[in-house]
Amino acid sequence: MCGIVGFAGIKNSKEAVLNGLRKLEYRGYDSAGIAISSSDNVLSIFKDKGRVEHLEEIITKDLDGPLAIGHTRWATHGKPNKINAHPHISNNKRFIIVHNGVIDNYKELKYTKLSGFNFYSETDTEVIVNLIEYYSRKYDVSSSIRITATKLEGSYSCLIIDKETPDKIYVLKNKTPLLIGCGEKGNIIASDVIPLIGYATKYTNLEDQVFGIVTKDSVSITDYLGNKLEYNVNQVSVNDEEITLGRYPHYMLKEIEEQPDVIRRLISKYFDGENIIINKDLVSMFKSINKINFVAAGTSMYASLMGKYFFEKLCRIPSEVLQSSELVYSSPLIKDVPLFIFLSQSGETADSIAVLKKVKESGYPTLLITNNIGSTMASISDYCLDIYAGPEISVASTKAYVAQVVTMSILAKAVSGSITKLKNHLKSLAKKTEEILGKKVIIKGLADQIKDAKAVFYIGRGIDYWASLESALKLKEISYIHTEAFSSGELKHGTIALIEENVPVIAICTQEGTNGIVRSNLIETEARGAKSFVISMESLSQSSDSFIIPNVSHYLTPLLTVVVTQLLAYYTAVNKNLDIDKPRNLAKSVTVE
Ligand code: BG6
């Protein structure tokens, strides 16, 4: 998934686009590029492998102009290199394009329509810009672009410049996110809202299958046949403070430290006294269903496991957690009357979007729990609950996990009414999270002990096992240490073969019923040479334990355990001098299947 930005204004388009690319780099950082149209309509392209920072160094000093488009890449088609970097240009050098998405039929179009054209890169994108040239032999630029769009299969947000109309940016949008913001200095187009801050106060979230023309003082949106379309207008509600690092060295540490405030914000948003403020239709809809299917990817999928716990234990509703990428290409047997609950921090994960569309077609009710109520998934889902975590920039998700789980506990209470004192439990959870944040030095010490490991194992049972899954994901995402999580009982049925001298095994023991057995499973690994660590809860702790979390309600312990393991992953990666916020090969949310 890539990030694209375009600006049509009076001047300084270069900074507007570079500013946007810097802020979108969490979407992909394999290469970056920009096309700038100077005030005398001369178009210059700069692009290379690597970060936006490097791109800034290769742009001719003092070059600027009223209009520019830019791109930061997460490679899908073609290696991360200069040739495959965007912008791409048509054979006749008239059309320039940046693109976010994947064209599924690009090979077929290349051979059926573009046999006379030369192709310099391995990308699917070059096919789009040459197809526009192909149709421009017969049609005007707008018609050429709209006709081209009707030939494309797949996902695409594109910004196109035509040298013959240098005051316009042409826009195509299908499946991958794209917003247009209007401001005093000009109009800005971007893959999400963050680049709009400081450049626009209002924006529209484009629907699928639309074409647009943006100039410094006008925006027109039509369908592919040229029919004008009305569009929704939203306020830019994020502010700069929320997205700047401030006193922190990394966004990941900032976002870990924000978790107590995120919990308090959720209490203030969803509680009025002891009453819970959640859409009554949504709550009563639970009476008409007899099964919950959670659908998500990555960290959101591990958060869903806690949703399964709350709704099964506290609401007695059978629940299942389904991986969205698996569900895209399979159709589970559905006998019940299920509610599909989707969890997605970004609301833009392509796998989850594809399943959501399938479920909508089959008429089952859908609820989205997200950090982005302006997202594509929010526009499709029947119901939507905001997790109010604030912008999450670091690729490894932290505060969104805690906010998703807290939101589901509040929803489960609203549905079952059974979780007494939840508000107080959440208040104390916020305090106890601060206590853990006050003991970073202990966690730095643990990170020092595991940083050179080739492999690490987390073990636990029940919700401690589920917390282990998220903990293992964090460590492997940013430290690149091969980390796996296992139900501790499963170890001896195979995996224990991987335990050798000094392999770190971290046991999570916060549940009374399984504390003893998990500890004895850990001892079995010590017998094979493992270096053992225990993360326990005060009331179940032993003096030799590696980290002891304060006592908290048994159904909320993963929300404290993950703060410890988020910091463990963070300090291990810091020790290894790795790029914390932009780990290799990853992207914040993957908008391609
Ligand atoms: C991955 C991110 O791309 O997508 C993970 O790197 C994230 O951090 C996962 O958990 C799912 O994203 P989302 O936005 O659907 O919760």
Side-chain angles (χ1 to χ4, degrees):
M1 161 198 69
C2 309
I4 62 177
V5 184
F7 182 79
I10 302 149
K11 58 184 174 152
N12 301 340
S13 63
K14 177 178 77 177
E15 183 40 35
V17 168
L18 287 175
N19 167 64
L21 292 181
R22 283 185 221 110
K23 290 182 175 151
L24 287 181
E25 220 171 11
Y26 68 84
R27 302 171 67 93
Y29 25 90
D30 291 323
S31 65
I34 189 168
I36 303 169
S37 173
S38 63
S39 45
D40 49 2
N41 300 332
V42 174
L43 255 157
S44 317
I45 293 180
F46 304 90
K47 62 179 185 176
D48 202 356
K49 183 176 168 20
R51 302 290 170 88
V52 176
E53 212 175 334
H54 168 60
L55 173 65
E56 292 179 60
E57 287 152 12
I58 62 171
I59 300 173
T60 314
K61 292 278 165 290
D62 311 330
L63 176 78
D64 208 335
L67 185 142
I69 59 175
H71 185 273
T72 179
R73 182 172 189 237
W74 188 64
T76 53
H77 289 70
K79 287 188 279 311
N81 60 26
K82 181 171 182 172
I83 294 178
N84 291 330
H86 298 210
H88 288 285
I89 189 163
S90 60
N91 277 197
N92 63 1
K93 310 241 174 304
R94 176 179 165 186
F95 300 105
I96 291 120
I97 191 169
V98 293
H99 164 224
N100 171 27
V102 168
I103 305 301
D104 301 327
N105 63 337
Y106 79 104
K107 285 201 175 110
E108 181 208 324
L109 290 168
K110 208 173 188 176
Y111 300 120
T112 54
K113 296 241 182 274
L114 305 172
S115 48
F117 283 73
N118 298 317
F119 288 86
Y120 305 95
S121 75
E122 301 160 276
T123 67
D124 48 346
T125 307
E126 225 186 331
V127 167
I128 307 174
V129 76
N130 283 320
L131 205 53
I132 294 169
E133 176 187 328
Y134 171 82
Y135 286 112
S136 69
R137 293 171 184 166
K138 244 169 108 192
Y139 304 96
D140 65 31
V141 54
S142 294
S143 310
S144 305
I145 297 173
R146 283 190 274 113
I147 296 168
T148 295
T150 62
K151 308 296 176 203
L152 304 177
E153 286 162 23
S155 58
Y156 48 88
S157 289
C158 303
L159 305 180
I160 300 134
I161 298 176
D162 171 8
K163 278 191 178 168
E164 293 181 8
T165 58
D167 63 327
K168 295 181 175 62
I169 298 177
Y170 298 93
V171 174
L172 279 178
K173 193 272 186 201
N174 186 44
K175 290 192 178 166
T176 48
L178 199 63
L179 296 72
I180 300 178
C182 304
E184 273 140 42
K185 301 175 204 151
N187 292 326
I188 183 163
I189 315 145
S191 300
D192 76 23
V193 73
I194 298 182
L196 276 51
I197 299 170
Y199 287 90
T201 50
K202 292 197 293 301
Y203 72 93
T204 180
N205 209 336
L206 295 178
E207 305 287 333
D208 280 352
Q209 310 247 318
V210 300
F211 166 74
I213 304 176
V214 177
T215 68
K216 70 179 184 321
D217 44 25
S218 70
V219 173
S220 92
I221 312 249
T222 74
D223 60 18
Y224 290 166
L225 299 172
N227 306 315
K228 263 202 165 327
L229 295 173
E230 295 309 313
Y231 47 89
N232 57 59
V233 176
N234 312 294
Q235 291 298 328
V236 175
S237 58
V238 192
N239 63 51
D240 236 358
E241 201 206 312
E242 288 180 280
I243 56 153
T244 41
L245 264 178
R247 62 185 171 81
Y248 292 95
H250 303 105
Y251 282 103
M252 185 176 180
L253 185 60
K254 177 178 182 243
E255 289 154 8
I256 291 173
E257 297 242 353
E258 285 173 351
Q259 294 179 116
D261 289 344
V262 169
I263 296 167
R264 292 188 181 107
R265 190 181 306 139
L266 283 163
I267 294 170
S268 70
K269 292 286 183 185
Y270 284 114
F271 281 90
D272 174 10
E274 284 306 317
N275 301 325
I276 292 179
I277 320 156
I278 285 185
N279 171 336
K280 296 229 169 336
D281 297 347
L282 169 59
V283 174
S284 57
M285 186 263 297
F286 278 83
K287 297 200 183 69
S288 61
I289 58 120
N290 61 9
K291 168 94 185 285
I292 296 174
N293 289 331
F294 289 94
V295 180
T299 288
S300 295
M301 187 179 63
Y302 294 138
S304 307
L305 291 166
M306 288 307 296
K308 170 180 167 67
Y309 178 86
F310 295 141
F311 283 94
E312 288 200 337
K313 286 268 182 304
L314 306 163
C315 307
R316 314 306 298 159
I317 304 176
S319 304
E320 205 176 337
V321 173
L322 305 162
Q323 225 169 306
S324 51
S325 53
E326 276 303 301
L327 220 50
V328 180
Y329 296 98
S330 69
S331 16
L333 191 57
I334 296 182
K335 278 232 188 83
D336 317 281
V337 188
L339 161 67
F340 283 78
I341 300 185
F342 290 80
L343 274 80
S344 178
Q345 186 282 133
S346 62
E348 298 294 352
T349 297
D351 296 325
S352 302
I353 292 176
V355 178
L356 177 54
K357 286 182 174 164
K358 251 171 87 171
V359 171
K360 284 288 289 189
E361 275 152 29
S362 14
Y364 294 112
T366 56
L367 161 64
L368 172 69
I369 297 178
T370 185
N371 198 27
N372 184 358
I373 51 170
S375 62
T376 304
M377 290 180 76
S379 66
I380 303 169
S381 185
D382 301 315
Y383 299 96
C384 190
L385 279 182
D386 194 338
I387 65 170
Y388 299 106
E392 191 176 65
I393 309 278
S394 184
V395 168
S397 182
T398 52
K399 61 178 181 175
Y401 173 92
V402 166
Q404 285 167 333
V405 175
V406 169
T407 304
M408 287 188 287
S409 72
I410 296 171
L411 177 62
K413 173 168 172 68
V415 171
S416 69
S418 67
I419 320 178
T420 50
K421 302 202 188 73
L422 174 64
K423 189 176 173 185
N424 292 342
H425 291 168
L426 293 177
K427 280 186 179 162
S428 96
L429 179 75
K431 269 215 208 72
K432 303 226 164 124
T433 306
E434 278 157 351
E435 274 179 44
I436 291 175
L437 294 172
K439 297 182 180 160
K440 291 197 201 72
V441 65
I442 301 173
I443 303 171
K444 282 182 186 163
L446 299 178
D448 224 27
Q449 295 176 55
I450 67 167
K451 69 178 188 312
D452 303 321
K454 292 274 169 297
V456 172
F457 294 94
Y458 274 99
I459 61 171
R461 291 198 185 214
I463 60 176
D464 284 340
Y465 166 45
W466 295 346
S468 301
L469 288 164
E470 172 55 14
S471 304
L473 179 63
K474 283 290 100 48
L475 190 58
K476 61 186 150 189
E477 269 181 318
I478 65 167
S479 77
Y480 313 153
I481 298 174
H482 186 148
T483 311
E484 297 300 341
F486 290 97
S487 157
S488 66
E490 191 52 27
L491 274 182
K492 50 187 171 295
H493 303 302
T495 311
I496 198 163
L498 296 175
I499 304 294
E500 51 193 23
E501 212 51 39
N502 285 330
V503 165
V505 176
I506 306 171
I508 298 181
C509 306
T510 72
Q511 303 294 305
E512 189 138 12
T514 56
N515 176 40
I517 185 67
V518 174
R519 286 176 186 273
S520 74
N521 293 142
L522 183 66
I523 292 166
E524 289 158 10
T525 67
E526 288 168 0
R528 314 292 169 193
K531 193 155 76 177
S532 63
F533 300 83
V534 176
I535 299 173
S536 65
M537 183 159 76
E538 210 173 308
S539 58
L540 302 169
S541 64
Q542 296 174 10
S543 56
S544 59
D545 290 350
S546 320
F547 195 97
I548 299 169
I549 64 171
N551 289 334
V552 71
S553 316
H554 71 274
Y555 61 89
L556 294 176
T557 60
L559 295 174
L560 290 183
T561 308
V562 294
V563 177
V564 179
T565 58
Q566 289 164 354
L567 287 166
L568 184 60
Y570 174 75
Y571 287 118
T572 305
V574 168
N575 266 331
K576 296 178 74 172
N577 205 13
L578 297 171
D579 190 327
I580 305 292
D581 290 329
K582 298 188 184 97
R584 70 185 182 199
N585 307 343
L586 290 179
K588 184 63 191 166
S589 76
V590 178
T591 56
V592 289
E593 277 179 29

